[in-house]
Amino acid sequence: MRNQVLRSLVVGVAAAFTLAATAGHAAPPDKVALSGARIITVSGEDIPEGIVLIESGKITAVGDMNVEIPYDAMEVDLSGKVVMPGLIDPQSWSGLDIANESQPVTPFLDVYDAMDPSRLFFEESLRDGVTTVHVSQGHNTVIGGQTRVVRPIGLSVDEMTVAPRLALKMSMSPRSGYDRMRQIATFRETFLELDDYLERLAEQKYEEKLAAEEKKMDVGPAEARMRGKELITDQDYDDAHANLIRLRRGDIAAWIYVANAMDVAPAIKLAVDEGFLNNTVLVAGSEAFKAMGELKEAGRPVVLPEQLMYRERDEVTGEIEEFFLPKLYHDAGVTFALQPNPNSSIAERYLTYQAALCVRNGIPRNAALKAITLNPATMLGLGDRLGSIEVGKTANLTVYSGDPLDFSSWVEHVYIDGILAYDRSKDPRLKELLKAEEKNRQDAAAKEAAKAKAEAAKPAEGEGEGGEQKEGDGDGNGGDGNGGDGNGNGDGGNGR
Amino acid sequence: MTIRRTLASLLSSFAALAATVTFATTTVPASAEDLVVRAGKLYVGNGQVIENGAVLIRDGRIVSVGASIAVPGGATVIELESGTITPGLIDANALLEPDDLISREERIAEPRAKEDAAEKFHSFLKELRGGEGDDHEGHEHAAMEWVACPNPTMHATIGEHEICPLCSRPPVNVCSHCGEFVTAGQEAAEAFASGVQTNYSRTESSDEIVPHTRVLDSLNLRSPDFKRLIAGGVTTVFAAPDTAAVIGPRGAIIQTAGPIKSRIIKAEDAVQFVFGTDSFRVGGGNQSPFGNFVTVRTRRPNSRMGVVWVFQKAMAETKRSMEGGEGFGIDVPEKPALDVLAMVLNKEIPVRVHARTLTDISIALEQCAEYGLTGFTLLDATEAYKLTDEIKAANVPVVFGPMTQDGGELINRFETDDYRLSTPRTLIDTGIPMALTARDLREEDGLGRQAMVAMRAGLTRAEALAAVTITPAKLLGIDKEVGSLEAGKRGDVVVWSGEPFDALSEPAVVVVGGRVALDRRPKQN
């Protein structure tokens, strides 16, 4: 239905975006100098007015106005604006067609197969200043599929990929239809089965070796397994087990959803038992904060829920108690990342607003900004190349019209890998949304100018002029509205 | 938590105050109910901004406002140097939560509630199946058999793991084996209604014409919703009905805090007309006049022309009744309804009209003009930017909103996609009085945040402030009582922690009628 039309429009827009980067030139400029803006590095102090040099997609210099700009760099004047590292969405399944599979244990799946680059979600992310998205499956699973870090621009998943097969999404909170006993039992079963499989595989490998040498089985099963173990190579593992082995080895991270406080301890125990605690990130639900002691002790970073203010109603008194979650985590010293809240219709859908909420509720500004940039970058194992404006890092930068935490500021430009990926002045969707505002300002300005002119020329006939101008103005407005929507509703301007 | 000083410390505080607030030449006699609120900046609400402004409130009324006002002895002083003061916010189209057992949703304490519901749901399914087997591997999803529910609209919209409170059955479109949603059943669900949850306590669905009922009668004045409004700085609301009826209940103008007696400014105010599709999408499903079981086939009206017909029939019956004639046909409104509508036609009761699209706004203008109902208030008005001239010519003020950000695929807009964030700007530039509303949205989507979004879309702070204070006050005819900080008006004041409507700012103190309803300063560091 509506989605079809949107799809083709968005693919076109996405194409336009990628084209914009190359518009008018053979290739985007290799060297870019962003000059004159206030630079929020996140990793260090703000630079009130400075220069960021980009070369071949990387940041090569950050400093004040004395930074030397190469003669062949394209200089972009950003006076009056603010530059910040591109924002990072720590986990989302909006880029997928469906959040979860119906099977409980699916470590062989990869979001690569389900990701749709034309989804409006990616366009929206870009518009909101997000340069990196961690696409993962939803919470409704036991062990889900592999996740992927992407940039929200590109016509194919390969083009978009920043880091493939980054983590396995898991949930300690029961998936639909399961109770907690069954959920945890499924985890146990899975790893027991893995051990079993490895034993059988070892035995099988030894048998194969003997068969190749045309020998007969010469030892008991236990010894055969021991000898066969050394013969196993990575190619031998089947899809169902390969990623679980990577998990144990630490080659793939574990992102575990814990909705409630009682899910935290089992999740940590699982990670400890199977040896992947150091690669674990916890995705917390609203109530998980009640196990703050355990979270703190585990020392793992946490992705906070979308709704930052948790409200609990006392069933007896009816009193509502409020908890601002980031403050609780901050005070406990737990590293956290924020998520956008797409359920909010106005403001919480922006990561910068979520950060503003943190500041409003007592968290230092830099800590709040880190929670939407450097912290998620580090959690994704990409802290060496993303999340702050430092020499050597990827040139993912967002330019704001004002302070990023000021809701009246707009995202003006977004650079991804040093290429201009988004330009608000050319954003067709925003233009449409704000169209009348532009036109009205122009009309108002024209009206003022004409009025002034008329008053200067004919001082005696002020009244009539004003009336006529109003008519003209009305026509202009009406025509615009009708033309825009093609309603054909016969609004002949002022006939009604 | 108010600051109350003991008599013993009065003199010292008096002396201390003398250092911070300069005295005027005239002294104001002291009173136990005196309250002085001071902050770094004060927005009067008429365009004037006073540095280090203060307001003196006595017996619930504003006595004086200025940079230097006399602080009477015994007065409570509330000050926030780093903050700003504005008049209390006014929501001219608020949809309130009645908070009785029937209407209450457990949005709060979500994980617990969802768990309980999920548990209940799955044990119910198990019962239906007669025992085990909730693992759906290897079976075809089988949608629930449709079982008649007295409220199909409500039933169609309950969530994945919920049971309908009416008929105690799960949603139509879930698999009876595993509880997952299935698309087959979705059509059945959609055939009955789309999207919006019925709230039994505040939706009168016995008839399409119910102006003889009052929103006030369905309100719980102690509902926690009022606390949420206060937390957002809203001190006065027009408690509006939902859009379930073509001619709906009369709303009430009430304050959000204070003793019950003084809270009701107007018990029964304007009548609401609804043009568009809401009357058959929202609410209990329109009733067949025969009181029959409601299905897709007997429900009426179910088209825009049906809605207009119902409206015109009601008006025709009103006129007939005013001339002493008998009602015609089966669907004649009740006598009390006709009496109220007669008062409407006699211009004794004001009219508010809810319409979103170009078509519906045009119909609204036409229909009201036909019955001589000029000067009505237009509500929602999403597509108002398409016919500003007509709206201006009809002298119709607009209560616009609630605003949402378009473009996000997760946003669901009713009836139209032609949403413009620039509409508040357009309306102001065209000279149409415009008030903002948050409807039933609260917290980070509440009225103060509607103003914040309006500023992002081009309004100045002064314009945004007016849209949530003096303009709704004038529109509701209560601008002698509220809407600005001027002597004689009610002592409704908000002290913001920063500039009003900024993302980093929020209401720190809220005063209604001279009583402190909220005080949460200082919060940080």
Side-chain angles (χ1 to χ4, degrees):
Chain A
M1 287 184 322
R2 177 173 173 263
N3 277 335
Q4 301 286 22
V5 178
L6 267 180
R7 248 171 198 259
S8 44
L9 175 69
V10 169
V11 170
V13 166
F17 278 157
T18 49
L19 280 175
T22 56
H25 308 277
D30 193 48
K31 292 185 187 161
V32 180
L34 304 178
S35 160
R38 170 157 66 99
I39 303 171
I40 300 174
T41 60
V42 173
S43 52
E45 292 291 313
D46 287 4
I47 300 169
E49 200 188 359
I51 296 175
V52 180
L53 287 185
I54 300 169
E55 190 176 332
S56 303
K58 296 233 183 297
I59 299 170
T60 52
V62 188
D64 59 21
M65 295 305 284
N66 293 323
V67 170
E68 202 180 309
I69 299 175
Y71 74 93
D72 56 342
M74 181 180 88
E75 192 170 339
V76 183
D77 179 18
L78 296 178
S79 335
K81 307 223 192 296
V82 181
V83 174
M84 209 180 118
L87 307 177
I88 299 180
D89 188 341
Q91 59 128 35
S92 173
W93 48 89
S94 300
L96 307 176
D97 56 348
I98 195 171
N100 284 105
E101 255 303 313
S102 47
Q103 288 192 54
V105 181
T106 59
F108 44 85
L109 294 182
D110 192 335
V111 295
Y112 176 84
D113 299 320
M115 210 163 23
D116 182 355
S118 73
R119 289 220 138 209
L120 188 57
F121 163 72
F122 292 117
E123 187 192 315
E124 279 293 293
S125 295
L126 198 54
R127 181 178 291 120
D128 297 346
V130 172
T131 53
T132 310
V133 179
H134 180 213
V135 178
S136 84
Q137 286 189 291
H139 304 322
N140 194 14
T141 182
V142 178
I143 297 179
Q146 299 163 84
T147 67
R148 180 168 291 243
V149 179
V150 302
R151 50 181 82 85
I153 187 122
L155 292 174
S156 72
V157 182
D158 288 311
E159 254 179 52
M160 294 168 75
T161 297
V162 172
R165 310 176 73 206
L166 189 106
L168 279 180
K169 179 64 187 284
M170 301 181 198
S171 173
M172 188 50 73
S173 303
R175 64 179 299 250
S176 64
Y178 279 32
D179 57 75
R180 279 211 168 72
M181 290 193 294
R182 183 148 183 202
Q183 187 87 3
I184 297 181
T186 309
F187 271 114
R188 279 194 215 113
E189 273 164 33
T190 307
F191 287 103
L192 281 173
E193 200 277 330
L194 177 66
D195 289 334
D196 222 31
Y197 166 80
L198 289 170
E199 304 258 289
R200 284 182 279 119
L201 184 62
E203 213 177 313
Q204 181 192 325
K205 289 297 284 186
Y206 190 63
E207 277 170 16
E208 280 170 13
K209 177 176 181 232
L210 290 180
E213 293 166 3
E214 282 172 16
K215 290 190 190 151
K216 280 219 164 111
M217 181 59 70
D218 49 356
V219 292
E223 183 59 27
R225 276 183 226 133
M226 254 178 52
R227 295 188 187 185
K229 220 168 164 184
E230 287 129 34
L231 302 170
I232 302 175
T233 64
D234 280 355
Q235 279 68 48
D236 293 320
Y237 301 123
D238 64 11
D239 281 348
H241 299 97
N243 285 320
L244 294 175
I245 290 159
R246 285 177 69 209
L247 184 66
R248 274 188 174 160
R249 280 198 208 146
D251 291 340
I252 193 168
W255 281 51
I256 311 180
Y257 177 61
V258 287
N260 299 334
M262 66 179 293
D263 298 325
V264 174
I268 293 169
K269 183 171 189 305
L270 173 74
V272 167
D273 287 347
E274 296 299 326
F276 55 79
L277 182 66
N278 285 338
N279 288 315
T280 300
V281 171
L282 293 167
V283 181
S286 318
E287 211 225 9
F289 75 92
K290 292 183 180 174
M292 193 63 79
E294 284 150 20
L295 288 167
K296 193 171 172 173
E297 208 186 304
R300 299 309 305 163
V302 176
V303 176
L304 295 189
E306 300 161 342
Q307 176 59 253
L308 295 179
M309 185 68 83
Y310 175 65
R311 292 181 173 89
E312 207 169 59
R313 186 184 191 143
D314 188 313
E315 280 161 30
V316 175
T317 65
E319 284 300 307
I320 296 172
E321 204 180 346
E322 281 188 347
F323 302 88
F324 188 70
L325 300 173
K327 187 79 168 65
L328 299 171
Y329 286 85
H330 176 81
D331 289 345
V334 175
T335 307
F336 62 89
L338 302 173
Q339 293 189 69
N341 185 356
N343 302 317
S344 159
S345 53
I346 297 187
E348 289 159 295
R349 57 194 300 110
Y350 300 105
L351 273 171
T352 41
Y353 190 77
Q354 299 283 63
L357 283 182
C358 288
V359 175
R360 201 204 287 171
N361 282 279
I363 291 174
R365 190 185 147 97
N366 193 252
L369 290 175
K370 277 208 168 107
I372 57 178
T373 51
L374 196 50
N375 289 355
T378 313
M379 285 182 203
L380 290 168
L382 302 170
D384 57 338
R385 33 179 169 145
L386 298 174
S388 59
I389 303 184
E390 290 181 87
V391 173
K393 287 202 171 178
T394 308
N396 284 3
L397 306 160
T398 307
V399 181
Y400 293 84
S401 59
D403 188 75
L405 298 189
D406 180 349
F407 197 68
S408 293
S409 299
W410 289 87
V411 170
E412 297 286 349
H413 303 120
V414 179
Y415 288 84
I416 294 184
D417 294 302
I419 296 173
L420 182 64
Y422 174 80
D423 182 346
R424 182 163 100 96
S425 65
K426 299 191 178 85
D427 182 345
R429 211 181 286 274
L430 262 191
K431 274 185 147 174
E432 195 62 22
L433 203 58
L434 297 167
K435 179 153 89 166
E437 184 202 350
E438 256 178 67
K439 178 124 202 340
N440 279 334
R441 287 197 186 286
Q442 288 167 17
D443 285 349
K447 201 163 116 180
E448 280 301 309
K451 196 173 176 184
K453 207 172 168 185
E455 271 170 22
K458 299 176 186 175
E461 299 176 40
E463 291 305 318
E465 287 298 336
E468 271 165 39
Q469 270 162 25
K470 226 179 182 180
E471 269 305 311
D473 225 41
D475 270 334
N477 272 339
D480 214 48
N482 279 331
D485 61 30
N487 232 355
N489 212 348
D491 182 358
N494 308 304
R496 280 183 197 262
Chain B
M1 177 185 89
T2 57
I3 298 176
R4 298 240 168 262
R5 315 225 176 157
T6 61
L7 273 167
S9 64
L10 264 178
L11 281 171
S12 52
S13 64
F14 204 66
L17 281 167
T20 54
V21 180
T22 52
F23 285 94
T25 47
T26 54
T27 47
V28 180
S31 159
E33 297 289 328
D34 286 354
L35 174 67
V36 171
V37 187
R38 193 181 80 82
K41 203 192 267 188
L42 185 147
Y43 292 86
V44 176
N46 61 4
Q48 207 191 348
V49 181
I50 303 172
E51 296 292 320
N52 291 315
V55 50
L56 168 63
I57 302 167
R58 166 171 299 156
D59 293 337
R61 295 268 161 189
I62 296 173
V63 171
S64 58
V65 181
S68 58
I69 61 167
V71 179
T76 307
V77 179
I78 291 182
E79 47 191 351
L80 189 64
E81 183 65 49
S82 53
T84 60
I85 294 175
T86 67
L89 305 188
I90 301 170
D91 194 327
N93 195 16
L95 191 59
L96 294 173
E97 195 57 52
D99 188 51
D100 47 35
L101 284 175
I102 295 175
S103 67
R104 189 186 302 160
E105 292 168 62
E106 288 292 1
R107 285 163 300 189
I108 304 157
E110 202 191 76
R112 259 210 302 275
K114 265 213 172 122
E115 239 175 78
D116 292 341
E119 215 178 273
K120 248 189 262 169
F121 175 71
H122 284 283
S123 59
F124 176 84
L125 279 189
K126 216 166 167 174
E127 241 177 75
L128 279 187
R129 279 194 309 272
E132 293 305 311
D134 58 350
D135 184 349
H136 85 215
E137 273 161 33
H139 77 257
E140 292 261 327
H141 286 301
M144 294 290 297
E145 290 243 339
W146 176 245
V147 174
C149 173
N151 186 353
T153 310
M154 164 126 191
H155 194 105
T157 62
I158 55 181
E160 196 178 326
H161 292 291
E162 287 169 31
I163 307 276
C164 176
L166 269 190
C167 67
S168 302
R169 298 200 147 252
V172 195
N173 46 342
V174 296
C175 173
S176 49
H177 289 284
C178 63
E180 304 279 350
F181 265 133
V182 272
T183 41
Q186 190 65 34
E187 283 149 31
E190 280 182 318
F192 282 84
S194 63
V196 186
Q197 180 117 37
T198 301
N199 183 309
Y200 268 100
S201 323
R202 69 180 182 209
T203 303
E204 181 48 51
S205 49
S206 60
D207 202 280
E208 284 306 312
I209 313 290
V210 291
H212 55 299
T213 59
R214 310 188 310 174
V215 171
L216 188 61
D217 294 331
S218 73
L219 282 187
N220 172 7
L221 288 175
R222 288 178 186 81
S223 163
D225 203 13
F226 289 105
K227 286 211 178 113
R228 297 167 82 193
L229 285 165
I230 293 273
V234 180
T235 53
T236 310
V237 295
F238 181 99
D242 64 14
T243 50
V246 175
I247 299 181
R250 298 174 70 180
I253 302 176
I254 52 182
Q255 300 229 278
T256 53
I260 301 283
K261 277 185 219 154
S262 62
R263 279 176 65 181
I264 300 171
I265 299 181
K266 201 106 190 284
E268 43 199 30
D269 193 62
V271 162
Q272 177 177 281
F273 301 158
V274 175
F275 291 107
T277 58
D278 273 23
S279 53
F280 48 89
R281 286 186 317 109
V282 179
N286 303 329
Q287 301 298 315
S288 155
F290 306 103
N292 278 348
F293 175 67
V294 178
T295 68
V296 187
R297 284 163 285 280
T298 61
R299 190 184 62 193
R300 235 183 7 91
N302 49 12
S303 66
R304 275 196 171 79
M305 42 194 187
V307 168
V308 176
W309 181 83
V310 165
F311 174 79
Q312 290 188 325
K313 181 75 170 25
M315 287 297 157
E317 292 300 340
T318 306
K319 284 194 163 161
R320 229 195 302 273
S321 155
M322 283 162 86
E323 287 151 17
E326 283 294 306
F328 178 79
I330 7 167
D331 45 358
V332 178
E334 314 222 353
K335 181 76 173 52
L338 292 174
D339 289 343
V340 171
L341 287 177
M343 289 173 76
V344 168
L345 289 179
N346 285 334
K347 316 253 174 111
E348 290 159 29
I349 297 178
V351 170
R352 291 155 59 99
V353 183
H354 171 99
R356 288 195 190 94
T357 63
L358 169 69
T359 315
D360 295 324
I361 297 173
S362 309
I363 289 173
L365 289 166
E366 234 172 42
Q367 293 298 316
C368 287
E370 188 176 323
Y371 295 99
L373 300 170
T374 52
F376 64 88
T377 301
L378 186 60
L379 310 172
D380 193 315
T382 305
E383 291 188 3
Y385 67 90
K386 294 184 180 176
L387 61 169
T388 47
D389 292 330
E390 290 83 334
I391 295 172
K392 180 81 199 279
N395 253 318
V396 165
V398 174
V399 182
F400 179 76
M403 292 202 284
T404 61
Q405 288 282 19
D406 195 6
E409 59 183 336
L410 300 165
I411 295 292
N412 187 16
R413 291 292 301 169
F414 298 119
E415 293 189 307
T416 171
D417 284 334
D418 279 358
Y419 181 74
R420 292 278 188 278
L421 208 54
S422 52
T423 303
R425 179 80 260 157
T426 304
L427 292 173
I428 290 181
D429 288 343
T430 320
I432 296 170
M434 183 216 54
L436 295 170
T437 176
R439 205 76 174 109
D440 59 340
L441 302 176
R442 305 283 182 257
E443 282 97 36
E444 301 307 324
D445 296 331
L447 191 60
R449 302 301 160 197
Q450 295 285 330
M452 180 179 79
V453 174
M455 281 177 66
R456 180 178 162 89
L459 259 55
T460 63
R461 197 183 307 275
E463 287 168 338
L465 181 64
V468 296
T469 51
I470 194 65
T471 307
K474 283 191 180 141
L475 201 144
L476 295 172
I478 52 173
D479 52 308
K480 297 267 185 307
E481 292 286 303
V482 289
S484 59
L485 298 173
E486 292 175 286
K489 294 199 181 184
R490 293 190 182 214
D492 296 348
V493 178
V494 179
V495 182
W496 300 79
S497 60
E499 287 285 341
F501 319 136
D502 270 3
L504 296 174
S505 169
E506 64 181 3
V509 179
V510 180
V511 176
V512 184
R515 281 181 162 72
V516 179
L518 175 76
D519 187 345
R520 51 183 180 190
R521 34 151 215 155
K523 196 169 195 169
Q524 48 228 44
N525 306 327

